[in-house]
Amino acid sequence: MSLPDLPHPFAERLHALVTDAGSVADLRRYFGMDRPPGAAAFTGARFEALGGGGDRPAVADTVTAEDLVAVQTLSVTVPAAAALDLLEGHAGTQLSTLLRAIPRDTDMADATDSDLAPGSPAHRSWHLLRDQPGIGWVTAGKLLARKRPRLLPVYDRVVRCAVGRPRSFWHALHSTLRADDCALQRELLILRQAAGIPETVSPLRVCDVVVWMRHHTEHQDVGCAWQ
């Protein structure tokens, strides 16, 4: 599928944001690559790496307390009752069963449609999390991005505001990453290398950070038509 065949204006907006001349500098600022001694990076810079990562083999199929702290670095909080259920209760058992069926070492650009389709373990996991009291769609997506950072993206109101509202964000992003022989995926890998970010940061997370950094000030200060 070529880029002109992709859902518009989503693909055009995303491509423009990723290839913006300021993207490398934004990545370095977000991850604290150039900060003076003692200056703080964005807390989200710790989202992937905290505690060794949510997808490390020992914990990849289980929600941990570290995962719950990690999503707080992205400005969301899992309510205590839902957190306990995910850590010790039936919801956690259900989610672990689904996570075991979701690929851990597959990039979204290399995934099949069935990996992300309605009814897939990933899709069912998102619905399970979204329906927990006090969680909702944003936090559900961030928890899954912590557990499967290569396959499942962070998606919040700032990103939605920047790129619009495709019928399915996962499908639209998957198609965009695979277009033109994965041209956008290659751009993300180039950006990661140019910014000096560790390879443990997935291309999906590079994409999220670039979009968020280019748009969050406008989102907060003046509001956006796509909210």
Side-chain angles (χ1 to χ4, degrees):
M1 186 182 294
S2 63
L3 189 60
D5 296 327
L6 292 169
H8 290 288
F10 175 89
E12 291 178 343
R13 287 195 178 109
L14 186 59
H15 191 268
L17 288 164
V18 168
T19 57
D20 187 276
S23 291
V24 170
D26 281 344
L27 283 168
R28 291 187 63 82
R29 185 159 68 95
Y30 186 91
F31 286 100
M33 308 299 289
D34 299 318
R35 71 182 187 277
F42 286 83
T43 59
R46 297 289 295 145
F47 175 67
E48 298 82 9
L50 185 69
D55 63 336
R56 68 189 190 277
V59 300
D61 301 329
T62 305
V63 171
T64 69
E66 289 167 342
D67 297 327
L68 300 177
V69 174
V71 298
Q72 291 185 44
T73 70
L74 299 185
S75 303
V76 297
T77 301
V78 177
L84 289 172
D85 201 4
L86 289 170
L87 291 171
E88 303 176 346
H90 184 57
T93 300
Q94 288 180 296
L95 184 61
S96 290
T97 298
L98 291 168
L99 285 171
R100 284 193 288 270
I102 302 174
R104 184 175 63 87
D105 56 357
T106 299
D107 287 327
M108 179 179 262
D110 299 322
T112 65
D113 289 339
S114 62
D115 288 325
L116 304 166
S120 66
H123 191 258
R124 290 160 59 198
S125 295
W126 183 86
H127 278 278
L128 173 66
L129 286 167
R130 184 203 61 181
D131 293 342
Q132 299 306 304
I135 289 187
W137 66 273
V138 172
T139 304
K142 290 178 178 181
L143 272 168
L144 285 181
R146 166 73 178 175
K147 302 312 296 181
R148 295 294 183 271
R150 294 175 59 180
L151 179 66
L152 302 176
V154 171
Y155 183 46
D156 62 12
R157 289 175 177 82
V158 175
V159 175
R160 185 179 68 180
C161 195
V163 299
R165 299 189 186 193
R167 183 174 180 180
S168 167
F169 178 74
W170 287 4
H171 174 74
L173 182 56
H174 182 231
S175 297
T176 304
L177 288 168
R178 291 177 62 83
D180 292 340
D181 194 26
C182 298
L184 190 60
Q185 175 82 348
R186 293 196 302 274
E187 289 280 355
L188 293 169
L189 293 171
I190 290 168
L191 276 177
R192 184 174 69 184
Q193 182 176 20
I197 296 169
E199 292 186 2
T200 51
V201 179
S202 70
L204 279 186
R205 184 68 174 127
V206 172
C207 184
D208 164 58
V209 170
V210 165
V211 172
W212 190 86
M213 287 292 285
R214 301 305 293 169
H215 198 68
H216 80 284
T217 301
E218 178 182 356
H219 180 93
Q220 292 174 341
D221 291 350
V222 301
C224 301
W226 288 96
Q227 290 190 62

